[in-house]
Amino acid sequence: MASIRELHTQLVNKERSAVEITQETLDRIQSLEPKLHSFLCVTAEKALEQAEAVDAKIAAGEEIGLLAGIPIGIKDNMCTKGITTTCASRILENFVPPYESTVTQKLFDAGAVMVGKANMDEFAMGSSCETSAYQLTGNPWDVSRVPGGSSGGSAAAVAAEECVVSLGSDTGGSIRLPASFCGVVGMKPTYGLVSRYGLVAYASSLDQIGPFGRSVEDAAILLNTVAGYDPKDSTSLNVPIPNYAANLRPDLKPKGQLKIGVIKETFGSGLDSVVEQAVTKAIEQLQALGAEVHVISCPRFRYGLPSYYIIAPSEASANLARYDGVKYGYRSEDADNLMSMYTSTRATGFGPEVKRRIMIGTYALSAGYYDAYYLKAQKVRTLIKQDFENAFEQVDVLVCPTAPATAFKAGEKTDDPLSMYLTDLMTIPVNLAGLPGLSLPCGFDDQGLPIGLQLISNVLREDLLFQVAYAYEQSTDWHLRKPSLGGKE
Ligand code: GLN
């Protein structure tokens, strides 16, 4: 499948219609889904309607934007008016939002064609898509392996060309990790850059929506469409949004102008040697492209994971209190009074990982433990932020691996939550500091599984991240490889 720009040219030159592109995509989804299970629901009817509207515009000689007629997947935690939004949870099984999230509204206004709602970990809690209450998504490079999580469906769909681009959300790594496991580009923007209105809340001080694409340019174009101030989100930033796709160049010259910092603490024990080699090579490549490379220490980086697993569950326990069987979603029939209706609804509506988080969060926020856990974790969060601030006084962009290893087998970590949590070791500090982070392919292991390189910049320097990522991407051919869609199911 072509890039956004190529499809756009075909559309305006009337070589292909939006309906043709959409139908082809829907056919591909139909043939691949029995194997991949990327989508919780395919919105074929709506997609064809949206495509017809784009074709009508073209026929009437109207100008269309870059995303018009482009098939796109949406993670199922973004509210879509009239279309079921489940968060991959039983508790929202029949929830049909009466309103549109800001991001999907912006996409529809731009003429994008939504082909489906993508699978995810339940309430975005997980690193493998396996906590979904509905289905397991396969990794397109080996379907017996996980696509990463929590936005695994969005990443797998893009990698397998079931759509051109997609949206995911990232609270502790949920865009970057699946991007790394599926060999695509995934970016988590600065906290507040993209409106969270209509995004089902997991941990509100960490959640951010961001793009997936098979190329840096596609991801940049998608971010441009969804970013921007929204009065409906009180944490939305009111800042000018640069044209991210406009200044992409294939090098980082003049030499030495761009300083890159390698985060020392992300190397060494716990890091797979094949990942280490690929990332080291990528850093050499960035140097060859003109960057000046420094080694940077972020000593508090390693406290990200423990503080995240206090802060995120605490916020989740508060956010998930609203699912009580009364207002919307699933209600247990197995109750004879109000109290037992609440408890039975929550006991059967939430999966085990979500319940674990609610219990941890409730405990950490309880009167006797608040200071010892929650307050302490918030203080550590500040220290991690300071590490990054220090780093950005010395360099422009930080690099490290996205994940310690490549995609693991389905079922391998489901009984060991701690080892599952460790997958996000390198991505979590970025959320705690509210910074933008991007993952892009930087190699493959000996089993043909993709490896991700993470780039991190200071707040609101998404433009710089895209520039560095683009220069690297254009000097390698990792992004041109296609998944086999093989492996034992
Ligand atoms: N894996 C992490 C968690 O389970 C991050 C998830 C996310 O970013 N949504 O909380």
Side-chain angles (χ1 to χ4, degrees), residues 260-336:
I260 285 185
V262 181
I263 307 177
K264 192 170 90 184
E265 287 78 8
T266 59
F267 289 82
S269 89
L271 183 64
D272 235 47
S273 63
V274 54
V275 174
E276 179 161 2
Q277 280 162 22
V279 172
T280 307
K281 271 205 128 156
I283 293 164
E284 285 165 14
Q285 182 67 16
L286 289 167
Q287 198 164 16
L289 288 165
E292 194 178 292
V293 176
H294 298 255
V295 174
I296 292 288
S297 174
C298 291
R300 272 81 61 109
F301 202 87
R302 67 196 176 99
Y303 300 122
L305 196 77
S307 57
Y308 172 88
Y309 275 100
I310 296 294
I311 294 168
S314 296
E315 294 185 18
S317 73
N319 277 327
L320 271 58
R322 71 191 67 169
Y323 305 103
D324 55 7
V326 176
K327 301 173 208 76
Y328 44 76
Y330 160 82
R331 174 185 300 172
S332 166
E333 301 291 330
D334 183 23
D336 46 21

Side-chain angles (χ1 to χ4, degrees), residues 39-118:
F39 289 107
L40 286 166
C41 96
V42 177
T43 49
E45 212 177 302
K46 183 169 175 95
L48 288 165
E49 255 172 46
Q50 289 176 323
E52 274 168 26
V54 172
D55 284 339
K57 271 193 163 182
I58 297 170
E62 283 178 48
E63 216 174 288
I64 56 161
L66 275 175
L67 270 190
I70 302 297
I72 173 163
I74 304 290
K75 186 177 182 178
D76 204 27
N77 60 351
M78 295 169 214
C79 286
T80 38
K81 189 174 176 178
I83 292 168
T84 318
T85 300
T86 67
C87 261
S89 180
R90 290 272 170 231
I91 216 152
L92 287 176
E93 191 158 14
N94 300 313
F95 174 54
V96 181
Y99 68 103
E100 198 66 59
S101 67
T102 294
V103 282
T104 45
Q105 189 61 57
K106 283 191 171 189
L107 288 174
F108 299 161
D109 291 347
V113 171
M114 179 175 76
V115 290
K117 301 294 296 283

Side-chain angles (χ1 to χ4, degrees), residues 11-46:
L11 284 168
V12 291
N13 291 343
K14 300 197 175 122
E15 289 158 29
R16 272 162 104 194
S17 70
V19 167
E20 277 165 9
I21 294 171
T22 303
Q23 193 55 58
E24 241 172 60
T25 309
L26 292 170
D27 292 346
R28 185 164 170 92
I29 291 176
Q30 201 177 15
S31 75
L32 292 182
E33 272 307 274
K35 206 170 183 174
L36 274 183
H37 312 286
S38 313
F39 289 107
L40 286 166
C41 96
V42 177
T43 49
E45 212 177 302
K46 183 169 175 95

Side-chain angles (χ1 to χ4, degrees), residues 140-201:
W141 298 86
D142 172 355
V143 293
S144 69
R145 291 177 186 268
V146 301
S150 64
S151 314
S154 302
V158 168
E161 305 190 26
E162 292 184 311
C163 51
V164 178
V165 282
S166 66
L167 283 183
S169 68
D170 191 312
T171 304
S174 279
I175 292 177
R176 290 157 289 156
L177 179 68
S180 164
F181 279 12
C182 291
V184 295
V185 177
M187 120 89 69
K188 171 226 156 328
T190 303
Y191 182 75
L193 188 80
V194 179
S195 168
R196 288 182 297 114
Y197 178 77
L199 170 72
V200 179

Side-chain angles (χ1 to χ4, degrees), residues 75 123-127 149-150 169-175 177 202 207 308-309 312 353 357 420-421 424 428 431:
K75 186 177 182 178
F123 281 102
M125 298 173 187
S127 307
S150 64
S169 68
D170 191 312
T171 304
S174 279
I175 292 177
L177 179 68
Y202 162 16
D207 299 341
Y308 172 88
Y309 275 100
E353 186 58 33
R357 307 283 176 110
M420 186 75 89
Y421 296 174
D424 295 316
I428 277 174
N431 300 72

Side-chain angles (χ1 to χ4, degrees), residues 395-413:
V395 295
D396 307 296
V397 171
L398 292 166
V399 290
C400 65
T402 307
T406 52
F408 48 88
K409 291 259 184 204
E412 201 179 304
K413 294 186 196 278

